Each structure stands twice: as structure tokens, then as C-alpha cells.
């Protein structure tokens, strides 16, 4: 058993603590909670993509005896305040008041216009029909290029005078020189579409307000408590707010941002009615208005030497951000996280354009801008290989950052902590027998069978720096913070068990299991005696700016804080035990929850005996030691400098650790139907030191399945009037388990030099390179037809069309 060794249980497939509870239906989600007198809320939503609200008549609804509160646009404007512009709206030249619901206009189908709280849900739904809204329908803008050309007939935000809401440039190195001295310039136009992660549990909230203490309590399934906390303070001008986050049925970014609107409105209903109010989003609402990944258009240029060396990259990015300005730049700034991917190119220029449209607002979906950045790199590398008639893997090997260059500083200031990118790629090619596959492909083509091989590589950044967005907003007056801070509390209970309180919520990623593994090794106990307390409760959780189930934060901030708290608790245990056992703390050992003096078997104390002393017997405590055995530790990343806060050069550590993965996709395409079958999908990944291999593998399987499904057809489709045509999972093209390929995973870890266990991120990872891997494989399969894959998704219809167009 361990004696202060945090690695004691690291790497072991420890038994899941939360798994049995969750898979047997004993998880406690927001909808599982009830409160006395609780009402049910439903939302009145816009049926139009763009319209002015002329008037709202809710008199009939308010006269219903079973209706306790109604919120209209007039209530919204009178009873709430607009949200403060967040970090992603800092680039607006003119302030725009954004309320939780529509006030003067609706800007996308499904935008909340009002809400009703009634005795039950069916009554509330019936009452919605009695609320009359008079709309003046306006032309809908659904085309970013039309807006960019300046001839769009509809301006969505009159304050801006145009639908191009933000424009900015980041440049590192000397791109002009790189392109001037290049042997050739390779160009391509690319596009990634709108999609979602469709978590099983939609958005949910229960709000209750104590009018005597003026304390508002919300129970909700948000991934980031700070967003809810700040939104309620901003909108309702309340100081005493408690945010409780129970089990969450999947997040993937869907529950970070727009959920704040609904929580504010449900809270307003609770305040107006004087009763607790519950709201549970349905699936159609979620698809329509809970947020989408951004449609991104790229014009890409690479400066290339004739030997395949890429010396510079320029790209122009146009983002369709939908009908809100609050996430205006989120997909552009997230490209700072993997701006140079795994490559040693030092000259990069990015021109960003954010265009508002009459579509659902964009949100920070899994990886946010990182899949787009990886798509840019991997597609242009394939183009370089085609231009030079080289194997795509050869071009990649020529440009990869080498292991001896680690720690490696990227042009925008990221510091890659460790990694062997050539080793990952080499192992992936060996594992699939790359040359053998190419030989098989050639033989099968002779038979009219079209196999394709896609080989890509990408970094997986982890541990978000709160100051990242200041790189494009150096004039930002109210900074969002910097670095990352989050905490953990560990308590040795009176009976000798260990209770652990995390500073972040979790969405089912086995945090209870992995945190117990780490704490157990330090404290010298079995993980079985450690219980992680859920739900997250803002009144007691030690949380900071990094308290987020997003940004791959957990491995850095939560694990770091647990190590700190457990180490401090161990030190205190040894001081108390040493005093009682008449020994120096340094002489003591801990094993199986028993503190002993080596060589003296009778001089020992169990954790239960220590607990009784710490909480019951002041006379046995040493002088200068507080009673109780509980410690709280707030972790900050000790290697956050340089570039924690961007200077004039705009260089910033966007994230702090960098895993990586080489992906190989093998597909077969039927040119008669356009159908793509993924025959094999392999990942050789570097997630640093792995705390629990089963948990990490689960994250890789899930994120790979997400990225593959996105590439092959999952996605949102709008008509020209801004009506969403893919409102059900069937229309959206949700992949089933049967359609998801087997994903092979091999680990090749390069432990981080900067983290206490060598750990790196494992969450967003495989969703970042997988769209590019599928695109590359499909293009390779269709090489005899001359098809070029530029835009996603690759539905059978679209693939068939590409073949027809190439043959025309």
C-alpha cells in the first residue's frame, strides 16, 4: 500500500465508483428532484427566423387559475438587466443589450419569447396557445457570404449597421517573407458545417426563491457554474445565489452558454410566482435552440518548399455565429489552442470574420474551433502532397515538431510540454500496415472496389488559460482572469473514511473513480474508502475560474487541487499521529488507513482513532494544530509563464498541456450510391500518464465516434427562410451504435513535464482530427474519379454528387 505516493493507483483499471449507480438508473438528475409546491415551466418560442415583436397579449394566460406566472418581453425588459458582454463579445464596436429572452426582435427560430409556470406541464403547454404575439416578419439572413458582400437586405442588429459583427487578424512570424520565398503556394477552400453533440439529457433547471432572505437557489445541469452564477447576478441583480449541479447526462459544451438564458427566465418565474419552478427542455427544443457548432468557411494558403517543407500558413475564416453576439469570436479564438497543430511552422496569419445570421446561436461544442483548425492543417497537408506528388505521410513527417525540440514553443506562444509526434505517426502506419493497405487498395481498384486511406495527426490541448481571448482583444477593459484556479477539499471523517469535494461538476466522465485513485495513493488508503460528494454545490465547493466541465480542464486543475489537498491532509494526519505516538512525523508510515511507527508494531493509530481525536479530544491535539482533519487546496498551474497574459505581440498560452493522436481511417465508398463504410479506424494516442485506462479509452471512443459521425452526415440544415429542417434525431442523421465503427486505440504516452503525474488531457481529443481523417480517406478512395473533398458533411447524397460533378 502506498506511503504518500500519488502514483500508487495510477494506471490501474480501478473499479468504477459511479458506474453501477448510473447504469442501474440510480443517478440523480435535475428532473429527479421535486420541491413542495413546485410548478412546471414551458417556453413560448419564435416560429420566425427574423421578425419584429409588435405586441404580446398574455391577458388570457394570466387569467387562468392554474397559471401562476407568465414572462413576456415586456417583463424581460422591465424586471431583468442585460448580460454583461462576455469575453467573446468584447470585440463589438457598439454595445448591444442582450437579455435572456427576445425583447424587440426575434433572431432565430426557437428563440425564447416568453414563458409560463403552471401547476403541471400539460396545462402550461395549453396556456402557451392563448398568448398572442404580433410579429412583423422581416427578411431572414441565412447566408454568410451574402452578408460579407454587403448586399444583405436584412440587418439583424441595427446597432451594428451590418451583419459582419467582428473582424480581426492575428499574425505570428513573418508570413509575407515565407510566401515571398516559397517555391510554390498551395491553396484550398474548406468548410465545416453546423452540428451538435446531442447529449442524452437536454437542458434542465429548477429554481426557487426565498423572498425573506432573498436567496435564489437553482439546480441545473450546466457544465460551468460560473456562467450561471454571473448570469443570475447580472440579470436579476441578486447577490445571494446558490448553484447546485447534480448528475449530468452528457455535456460536450451544449450546457455551457445558452443554458444561462433559460435559467434566468425560470428563476424569474420562481420570483414572480413565489414557488419553485422546474423546466425540462424537450428534444425538439434542444435541436432548435440549445446551440450549434459553428459553420466555418476557410480560404487557406500554404507557403511550400519543393521538398515538402511548409514555411507559412495563411487562412481567412468566416464564421456563421447565428442570431446572437455573445459567442461572436469563440470559434476563432479557440484556434489559438492548436494554431500550428503538430507542425513546426513559425509563420501563420489568421483573418477572422464573424457574421450574425438568422440561425441558432453557436456554442462551445466539443473542441469548439479546434476540429476546424486541425481540418485546415490536415487538408492542406494532403493538398501539398498531391501538388508535389509525395505520399501524404511523408509531408507530415517532414514538418512535424521533433521530440528533441520539446518543450516546444509555437509561434503564438503555446508551450508544448512533451510528445513524440513522428513516433505516433510511425506507430500508426506500422499498426495498419500502411504499405500493405496501399497494395490492397490498388488490387481492389482493379476490381472496381474503392478503398481509401486517411492518415492525420493532431494535438489535444488541455487546461484552459482564462486570458487566451485577450490576444484578439488587447483593449479589453474587464479581463476574464488569467491562468486557471480551481480547488478541492478532502476530509478525514470521524469514522476514518475520506470525503472528497471537487470544485467542478462532472458529466459522467468517472471523476469519482479517478480522483479517488489519486487521493488514495497519497493518503495510504484504498480508493474504496474515499467517497466523492455529489452534487456540486456552489455554497460549499472550492471553485474558481477553472471550475468547468469543459476545456479539458479536469486533468490539470482538479487533479492538481486533489493532489495538493491530499498532501496537506496527509501532513496534518502525520503531525497529529506523531504527537500521540511520540514520534516525529517523518518517522511515520501510513498503510491501509493505519499510521505506524516502523519497528514498533504496537505503536499505531487507525484513521478512525485519529478522527475521534481530531473532532472529540482537544487534549490530545498538538499545540498549534487546528482541530478537525480537513484541508482545502486551490491549484494554479506553476508553469503558466511565459505568455500567460498576452502582450503587444499577441502571444499567449491558450492552454497548458498538449496530448496528441495519430489517426488512420480506412473506408470503402460505393460510387453508385455515395455510401461510405468505415472499415477500420485506428488511433495511436498520447494522453500523458493515464490515471485509469478504461476511463481514457471511453473518452477516446466517444470523441472519435462523434467526429466520424459529424464527417459522415450528422448536421443541421436550414431552408432559405431560416427554418430548421433537421429538428429530430432522425432528420439530423444521428448515428446509431450499429453505424459507429469499431475504434482501435493504442497508447503511446509521453508524460507531461509540467504536471505532477505527467498527466495530459483526455476528452475532446479524438473529435479534433477525426473529421479530417474521414475526409482524407474518402478523397483517397475517390482519387480515380478526381474528386476533391473540401466541405463537410459527406452524406451519401453529397458524395454521389461530387462523383457526378467530377465526371461531368
Amino acid at each position: 500500500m502506498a506511503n504518500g505516493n500519488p502514483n500508487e493507483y495510477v494506471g490501474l483499471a480501478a473499479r468504477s465508483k459511479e458506474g453501477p449507480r448510473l447504469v442501474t438508473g440510480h443517478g440523480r438528475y435535475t428532473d429527479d428532484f421535486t420541491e413542495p409546491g413546485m410548478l412546471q415551466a414551458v417556453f413560448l418560442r419564435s416560429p420566425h427566423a427574423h421578425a419584429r415583436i409588435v405586441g404580446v397579449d398574455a391577458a388570457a394566460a394570466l387569467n387562468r387559475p392554474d397559471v401562476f406566472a407568465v414572462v413576456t418581453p415586456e417583463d424581460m425588459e422591465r424586471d431583468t438587466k442585460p448580460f454583461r458582454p462576455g469575453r467573446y463579445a468584447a470585440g463589438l464596436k457598439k454595445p448591444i443589450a442582450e437579455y435572456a429572452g427576445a425583447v424587440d426582435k426575434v433572431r432565430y427560430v426557437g428563440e425564447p419569447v416568453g414563458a409560463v409556470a403552471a401547476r403541471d406541464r400539460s396545462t402550461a403547454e395549453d396556456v402557451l396557445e392563448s398568448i398572442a404575439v404580433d410579429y412583423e416578419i422581416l427578411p431572414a439572413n441565412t447566408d454568410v457570404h451574402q452578408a460579407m458582400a454587403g448586399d444583405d437586405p436584412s440587418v439583424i442588429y441595427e446597432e451594428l449597421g451590418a451583419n459582419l459583427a467582428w473582424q480581426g487578424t492575428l499574425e505570428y512570424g513573418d508570413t509575407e517573407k515565407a510566401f515571398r520565398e516559397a517555391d510554390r503556394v498551395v491553396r484550398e477552400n474548406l468548410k465545416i458545417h453546423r452540428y451538435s453533440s446531442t447529449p442524452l439529457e437536454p437542458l434542465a433547471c429548477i429554481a426557487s426563491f426565498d423572498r425573506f432572505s432573498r436567496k435564489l437557489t437553482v439546480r441545473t445541469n450546466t457544465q460551468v457554474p460560473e456562467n450561471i452564477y454571473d448570469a443570475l447576478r447580472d440579470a436579476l441583480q441578486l447577490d445571494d445565489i446558490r448553484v447546485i449541479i447534480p448528475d449530468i447526462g452528457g455535456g460536450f459544451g451544449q450546457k455551457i452558454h445558452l443554458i444561462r438564458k433559460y435559467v434566468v427566465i425560470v428563476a424569474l418565474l420562481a420570483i414572480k410566482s413565489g414557488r419553485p419552478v422546474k423546466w425540462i427542455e424537450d428534444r425538439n427544443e434542444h435541436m432548435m435552440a440549445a446551440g450549434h457548432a459553428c459553420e466555418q468557411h476557410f480560404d487557406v494558403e500554404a507557403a511550400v518548399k519543393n521538398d515538402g517543407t511548409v514555411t507559412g500558413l495563411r487562412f481567412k475564416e468566416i464564421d456563421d455565429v447565428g442570431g446572437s453576439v455573445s459567442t461572436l469570436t469563440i470559434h476563432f479564438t479557440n484556434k489559438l489552442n492548436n494554431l500550428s497543430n503538430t507542425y513546426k511552422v513559425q509563420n501563420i496569419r489568421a483573418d477572422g470574420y464573424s457574421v450574425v445570421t438568422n440561425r441558432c446561436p453557436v456554442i462551445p461544442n466539443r473542441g469548439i474551433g479546434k476540429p476546424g483548425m486541425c481540418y485546415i492543417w490536415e487538408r492542406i497537408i494532403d493538398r501539398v502532397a498531391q501538388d508535389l506528388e509525395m505520399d501524404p505521410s511523408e509531408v507530415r513527417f517532414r514538418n512535424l515538431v521533433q521530440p528533441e525540440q520539446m518543450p516546444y514553443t509555437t509561434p503564438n506562444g503555446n508551450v508544448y510540454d512533451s510528445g513524440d509526434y513522428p513516433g505516433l505517426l510511425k506507430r500508426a502506419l506500422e499498426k495498419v500496415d500502411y504499405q500493405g493497405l496501399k497494395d490492397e487498395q490498388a488490387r481492389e481498384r482493379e476490381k472496381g472496389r474503392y478503398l481509401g486511406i486517411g492518415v492525420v495527426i493532431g494535438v489535444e490541448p488541455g487546461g484552459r488559460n482564462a486570458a487566451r481571448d485577450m490576444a484578439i482583444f488587447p483593449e479589453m477593459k474587464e479581463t476574464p482572469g488569467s491562468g486557471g484556479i480551481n480547488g478541492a477539499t478532502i476530509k478525514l471523517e470521524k469514522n476514518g473514511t475520506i470525503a472528497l469535494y471537487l470544485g467542478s461538476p462532472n458529466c459522467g466522465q468517472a471523476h469519482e473513480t479517478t480522483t479517488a485513485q489519486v487521493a488514495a495513493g497519497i493518503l495510504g488508503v484504498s480508493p474504496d474508502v474515499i467517497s466523492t460528494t455529489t452534487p456540486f454545490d456552489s455554497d460549499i465547493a472550492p471553485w474558481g475560474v477553472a471550475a468547468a466541465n469543459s476545456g479539458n480542464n479536469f486533468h490539470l486543475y482538479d487533479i492538481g487541487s486533489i493532489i495538493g489537498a491530499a498532501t496537506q491532509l496527509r501532513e496534518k494526519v502525520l503531525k497529529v499521529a506523531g504527537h500521540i505516538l511520540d514520534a516525529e512525523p517523518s518517522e511515520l508510515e501510513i498503510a491501509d488507513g493505519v499510521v505506524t511507527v516502523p519497528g514498533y508494531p504496537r505503536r499505531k493509530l487507525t484513521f478512525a482513532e485519529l478522527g475521534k481525536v481530531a473532532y472529540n479530544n482537544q487534549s490530545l491535539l498538538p499545540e498549534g494544530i487546528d482541530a478537525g482533519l480537513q484541508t482545502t487546496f486551490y491549484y494554479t498551474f506553476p508553469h503558466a509563464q511565459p505568455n500567460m497574459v498576452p502582450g503587444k505581440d499577441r502571444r499567449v498560452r491558450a492552454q497548458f498541456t498538449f496530448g496528441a493522436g495519430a489517426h488512420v481511417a480506412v473506408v470503402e465508398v460505393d460510387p453508385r450510391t455515395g455510401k461510405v463504410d468505415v472499415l477500420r479506424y485506428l488511433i495511436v494516442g498520447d494522453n500523458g500518464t493515464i490515471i485509469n485506462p478504461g476511463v481514457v479509452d471511453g473518452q477516446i471512443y466517444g470523441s472519435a465516434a462523434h467526429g466520424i459521425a459529424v464527417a459522415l452526415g450528422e448536421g443541421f440544415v436550414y431552408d432559405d427562410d431560416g427554418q430548421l429542417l433537421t429538428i429530430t434525431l432522425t432528420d439530423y442523421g444521428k448515428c446509431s451504435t450499429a453505424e459507429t465503427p469499431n475504434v482501435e486505440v493504442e497508447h503511446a504516452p509521453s508524460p507531461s513535464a509540467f504536471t505532477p503525474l505527467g498527466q495530459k488531457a483526455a476528452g475532446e481529443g479524438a473529435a479534433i482530427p477525426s473529421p479530417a481523417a474521414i475526409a482524407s480517406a474518402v478523397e483517397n478512395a475517390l482519387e480515380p474519379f478526381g474528386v476533391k473533398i473540401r466541405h463537410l458533411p459527406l452524406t451519401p447524397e453529397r458524395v454521389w454528387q461530387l462523383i457526378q460533378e467530377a465526371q461531368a
Side-chain angles (χ1 to χ4, degrees):
M1 189 66 67
N3 199 29
N5 177 13
N7 288 298
E8 178 71 14
Y9 297 100
V10 168
L12 300 180
R15 183 173 179 270
S16 173
K17 284 180 165 291
E18 57 277 87
R21 174 170 60 86
L22 297 175
V23 301
T24 57
H26 291 84
R28 294 274 283 166
Y29 301 90
T30 301
D31 198 21
D32 292 319
F33 292 87
T34 59
E35 295 186 24
M38 189 172 71
L39 307 174
Q40 299 283 337
V42 295
F43 280 85
L44 180 66
R45 296 179 179 276
S46 169
H48 306 294
H50 194 194
R52 200 173 310 283
I53 299 173
V54 178
V56 177
D57 183 357
L62 287 167
N63 288 332
R64 290 275 299 261
D66 42 8
V67 172
F68 291 78
V70 174
V71 170
T72 65
E74 183 180 349
D75 298 317
M76 199 71 62
E77 193 166 22
R78 184 188 62 235
D79 299 336
T80 71
K81 301 292 183 185
F83 299 121
R84 284 176 296 168
R87 66 186 70 177
Y88 307 124
L92 284 171
K93 293 179 180 177
K94 295 181 180 178
I96 293 178
E98 182 163 6
Y99 291 86
V103 171
D104 55 345
K105 290 175 75 176
V106 291
R107 296 179 172 88
Y108 56 96
V109 170
E111 182 171 6
V113 175
V116 170
R119 193 178 302 281
D120 54 67
R121 186 172 179 115
S122 59
T123 300
E125 289 176 343
D126 290 343
V127 168
L128 281 187
E129 297 179 5
S130 66
I131 300 176
V133 183
D134 184 12
Y135 292 105
E136 176 193 349
I137 299 175
L138 302 170
N141 168 31
T142 59
D143 187 318
V144 293
H145 294 295
Q146 186 177 343
M148 288 288 292
D151 54 357
D152 192 307
S154 62
V155 175
I156 296 173
Y157 287 95
E158 282 79 3
E159 301 94 323
L160 298 175
N163 290 327
L164 174 59
W166 175 81
Q167 177 181 352
T169 297
L170 288 170
E171 182 164 16
Y172 302 101
D174 190 342
T175 53
E176 286 300 320
K177 181 181 179 184
F179 277 81
R180 189 171 61 247
E181 296 180 354
D183 292 331
R184 62 185 67 206
V185 175
V186 177
R187 297 181 174 86
E188 189 52 284
N189 167 263
L190 304 169
K191 174 188 167 186
I192 287 186
H193 60 300
R194 281 176 166 253
Y195 57 86
S196 172
S197 300
T198 60
L200 283 177
E201 184 196 25
L203 309 186
C205 172
I206 299 172
S208 59
F209 181 68
D210 184 332
R211 64 187 176 92
F212 299 104
S213 64
R214 296 191 60 75
K215 185 181 183 77
L216 175 68
T217 301
V218 296
R219 193 183 302 270
T220 183
N221 56 1
T222 183
Q223 295 174 244
V224 182
E226 183 181 40
N227 287 354
I228 301 300
Y229 198 81
D230 289 347
L232 290 168
R233 288 170 62 93
D234 288 350
L236 301 175
Q237 302 285 290
L238 294 173
D239 292 323
D240 197 355
I241 293 168
R242 183 183 182 192
V243 180
I244 301 172
I245 305 174
D247 286 327
I248 301 176
F252 318 110
Q254 290 292 130
K255 295 166 180 169
I256 291 177
H257 187 69
L258 286 181
I259 189 173
R260 66 177 184 165
K261 287 176 170 270
Y262 300 103
V263 174
V264 165
I265 296 173
V266 173
L268 183 57
L269 287 169
I271 292 170
K272 288 168 75 77
S273 67
R275 290 196 181 200
V277 177
K278 175 190 279 187
W279 171 68
I280 306 296
E281 182 186 54
D282 69 27
R283 180 59 60 189
N284 287 356
E285 288 180 298
H286 188 83
M287 303 296 277
M288 187 166 48
H292 299 168
C294 183
E295 179 181 293
Q296 302 160 76
H297 302 254
F298 308 111
D299 288 316
V300 186
E301 294 180 316
V304 184
K305 294 293 187 182
N306 283 335
D307 66 355
T309 302
V310 179
T311 58
L313 182 83
R314 293 192 295 223
F315 66 93
K316 174 182 176 182
E317 172 178 342
I318 302 172
D319 291 343
D320 165 12
V321 301
S324 169
V325 294
S326 62
T327 50
L328 205 59
T329 57
I330 187 171
H331 282 76
F332 183 76
T333 56
N334 263 271
K335 291 182 174 63
L336 286 168
N337 302 7
N338 61 338
L339 189 68
S340 53
N341 199 24
T342 51
Y343 303 114
K344 52 191 174 186
V345 179
Q346 287 290 318
N347 307 299
I348 302 178
R349 176 186 170 108
D351 293 293
Y353 300 81
S354 298
V355 182
V356 290
T357 65
N358 292 118
R359 297 180 178 181
C360 179
V362 298
I363 45 91
N365 191 275
R366 200 172 200 164
I368 320 178
K370 286 167 263 185
M373 193 66 239
C374 191
Y375 192 70
I376 289 172
W377 267 114
E378 297 309 286
R379 288 278 69 209
I380 204 68
I381 289 286
D382 279 353
R383 286 288 174 276
V384 171
Q386 292 161 5
D387 206 55
L388 294 171
E389 298 183 348
M390 296 172 65
D391 189 277
S393 64
E394 185 182 349
V395 178
R396 287 178 169 84
F397 278 120
R398 189 169 298 279
N399 289 286
L400 289 174
V401 174
Q402 299 299 303
E404 60 270 20
Q405 293 179 282
M406 298 291 177
Y408 176 82
T409 301
T410 71
N412 61 302
N414 285 328
V415 180
Y416 290 178
D417 41 351
S418 64
D420 179 0
Y421 305 147
L424 295 176
L425 188 57
K426 182 181 177 185
R427 179 58 184 154
L429 296 177
E430 290 172 350
K431 189 86 174 157
V432 297
D433 183 13
Y434 185 54
Q435 187 55 51
L437 268 178
K438 292 173 69 173
D439 294 341
E440 180 187 359
Q441 179 187 48
R443 290 195 300 272
E444 294 300 315
R445 278 184 184 172
E446 295 292 325
K447 304 174 187 174
R449 186 172 176 231
Y450 297 95
L451 304 181
I453 310 162
V455 179
V456 304
I457 188 167
V459 293
E460 178 175 8
R464 184 175 50 231
N465 175 8
R468 178 198 58 200
D469 301 279
M470 294 173 67
I472 62 171
F473 299 127
E475 71 281 4
M476 191 183 293
K477 293 177 181 174
E478 186 176 353
T479 66
S482 63
I485 300 169
N486 204 27
T489 296
I490 300 185
K491 181 181 182 183
L492 195 158
E493 304 279 8
K494 191 185 292 186
N495 65 357
T497 59
I498 308 290
L500 177 58
Y501 303 85
L502 299 178
S504 299
N506 79 81
C507 295
Q509 299 104 323
H511 290 179
E512 296 173 41
T513 302
T514 50
T515 53
Q517 286 181 246
V518 173
I522 297 170
L523 295 172
V525 297
S526 164
D528 293 338
V529 304
I530 297 179
S531 64
T532 301
T533 298
T534 57
F536 170 92
D537 186 334
S538 66
D539 272 5
I540 58 175
W543 58 294
V545 70
N549 194 284
S550 73
N552 274 340
N553 274 355
F554 172 77
H555 79 286
L556 187 63
Y557 299 113
D558 292 271
I559 292 295
S561 62
I562 289 161
I563 291 173
T567 301
Q568 289 184 350
L569 178 60
R570 177 186 173 85
E571 291 170 358
K572 190 170 184 181
V573 164
L574 292 176
K575 285 181 181 177
V576 174
H579 178 71
I580 298 170
L581 295 172
D582 193 22
E584 289 296 320
S586 59
E587 297 174 346
L588 302 177
E589 292 183 353
I590 307 176
D592 292 325
V594 180
V595 185
T596 60
V597 182
Y600 299 90
R602 292 188 177 182
R603 295 172 66 187
K604 63 182 180 181
L605 281 169
T606 67
F607 273 14
E609 291 170 328
L610 278 168
K612 289 178 183 175
V613 170
Y615 297 102
N616 287 7
N617 202 333
Q618 180 181 350
S619 67
L620 292 180
L621 290 173
E623 282 190 28
I625 294 291
D626 295 334
L629 287 169
Q630 176 173 314
T631 56
T632 295
F633 183 85
Y634 285 88
Y635 177 80
T636 56
F637 183 54
H639 304 280
Q641 295 289 12
N643 303 325
M644 180 163 58
V645 178
K648 292 181 180 177
D649 60 4
R650 310 289 183 95
R651 288 160 64 87
V652 65
R653 301 272 292 275
Q655 292 193 267
F656 292 127
T657 70
F658 292 85
H663 292 217
V664 180
V666 182
V667 305
E668 179 176 358
V669 181
D670 185 342
R672 297 167 302 175
T673 64
K675 186 172 185 299
V676 178
D677 287 319
V678 181
L679 305 180
R680 191 173 181 188
Y681 201 94
L682 169 78
I683 300 171
V684 178
D686 166 20
N687 298 100
T689 301
I690 293 173
I691 295 172
N692 186 310
V695 171
V696 172
D697 285 351
Q699 293 294 310
I700 294 172
Y701 296 147
S703 54
H706 184 207
I708 293 168
V710 164
L712 290 178
E714 286 191 12
F716 293 108
V717 178
Y718 282 86
D719 69 12
D720 291 341
D721 294 325
Q723 294 291 330
L724 182 63
L725 304 179
T726 48
I727 205 166
T728 68
L729 291 178
T730 301
D731 294 333
Y732 173 76
K734 187 67 187 171
C735 273
S736 67
T737 304
E739 296 166 302
T740 303
N742 178 49
V743 177
E744 303 168 54
V745 177
E746 179 171 303
H747 298 289
S750 295
S752 172
F754 297 153
T755 58
L757 304 176
Q759 79 274 17
K760 298 179 182 176
E764 297 171 340
I768 297 172
S770 45
I774 294 297
S776 181
V778 172
E779 182 174 278
N780 182 245
L782 298 177
E783 188 179 63
F785 298 92
V787 168
K788 299 295 183 187
I789 302 299
R790 299 180 171 92
H791 300 174
L792 296 179
L794 297 171
T795 61
E797 180 184 15
R798 184 58 192 145
V799 172
W800 183 85
Q801 287 173 343
L802 287 170
I803 295 170
Q804 306 312 307
E805 291 167 7
Q807 291 186 315

